[in-house]
Amino acid sequence: MSDADLIKLYSQRILALAADMPATDPLPAPDATVRKRAPLCGSTVEVSISCKDGRVTGYSQNVHACALGQASAAIFGANVIGRTKDEVRTLRDQLATMLKGGPVPDAPFGEYEVLTAAREYPNRHGSILLAPEATLEALESC
């Protein structure tokens, strides 16, 4: 990967998102906790959720990932409260499609546009998808 590629991939906005991670305080009594790991890069995310009537009412995340995985978790964590399992699944599917060249996910997840540069780096896609995938798994308990 050239220096120009790295600069393109790790833009200032991605680094700002990674540095300002929301939802990092532990939940006092989560309904579910799931830890996921991206096998290609070793990134990990642990999410804890509280839920009521099939909606996320509380969310906490512990993220150990590259800047791309951190930026993704930051976008996700800022928008997950109030979402249903179907909405999280739709976001995960739209994000995976975006990473393969498709459109940016629907609102309120449009900020994922910042990660379109990662399309060219499939070894990072797993890290980017970790937070929604872990949350989907956690929602199975709700």
Side-chain angles (χ1 to χ4, degrees), residues 5 21 37 57 61 66-68 73-74 93 95-96 115 136-137:
D5 288 338
M21 185 68 59
R37 180 178 177 275
T57 57
Q61 58 187 355
C66 64
L68 298 172
D93 294 347
L95 183 55
L115 294 173
L136 261 180
E137 189 174 320

Side-chain angles (χ1 to χ4, degrees), residues 106-132:
D106 295 335
F109 296 103
E111 194 169 10
Y112 273 108
E113 181 177 19
V114 73
L115 294 173
T116 56
R119 289 173 172 157
E120 300 172 31
Y121 305 96
N123 60 329
R124 302 301 173 126
H125 294 183
S127 181
I128 292 167
L129 292 164
L130 280 176

Side-chain angles (χ1 to χ4, degrees), residues 7 9-10 14 20 24 29 37-38 42 44 47 62 79 114 117 127 129:
I7 290 168
L9 187 58
Y10 292 101
I14 289 170
D20 192 24
T24 58
R37 180 178 177 275
T44 60
V47 302
N62 185 359
N79 294 288
V114 73
S127 181
L129 292 164

Side-chain angles (χ1 to χ4, degrees), residues 10-126:
Y10 292 101
S11 71
Q12 289 297 328
R13 182 65 186 134
I14 289 170
L15 296 175
L17 283 164
D20 192 24
M21 185 68 59
T24 58
D25 293 333
L27 292 178
D31 293 310
T33 298
V34 171
R35 180 181 168 97
K36 301 269 305 170
R37 180 178 177 275
L40 284 178
C41 65
S43 294
T44 60
V45 170
E46 182 175 278
V47 302
S48 296
I49 63 168
S50 299
C51 46
K52 184 175 181 180
D53 299 326
R55 292 193 177 276
V56 176
T57 57
Y59 182 81
S60 176
Q61 58 187 355
N62 185 359
V63 180
H64 296 279
C66 64
L68 298 172
Q70 289 177 45
S72 175
I75 294 165
F76 185 77
N79 294 288
V80 68
I81 300 297
R83 305 288 160 238
T84 66
K85 182 168 49 173
D86 287 342
E87 289 171 314
V88 173
R89 182 180 298 109
T90 296
L91 172 270
R92 190 265 328 260
D93 294 347
Q94 288 178 344
L95 183 55
T97 298
M98 181 197 86
L99 291 170
K100 294 177 184 170
V104 173
D106 295 335
F109 296 103
E111 194 169 10
Y112 273 108
E113 181 177 19
V114 73
L115 294 173
T116 56
R119 289 173 172 157
E120 300 172 31
Y121 305 96
N123 60 329
R124 302 301 173 126
H125 294 183

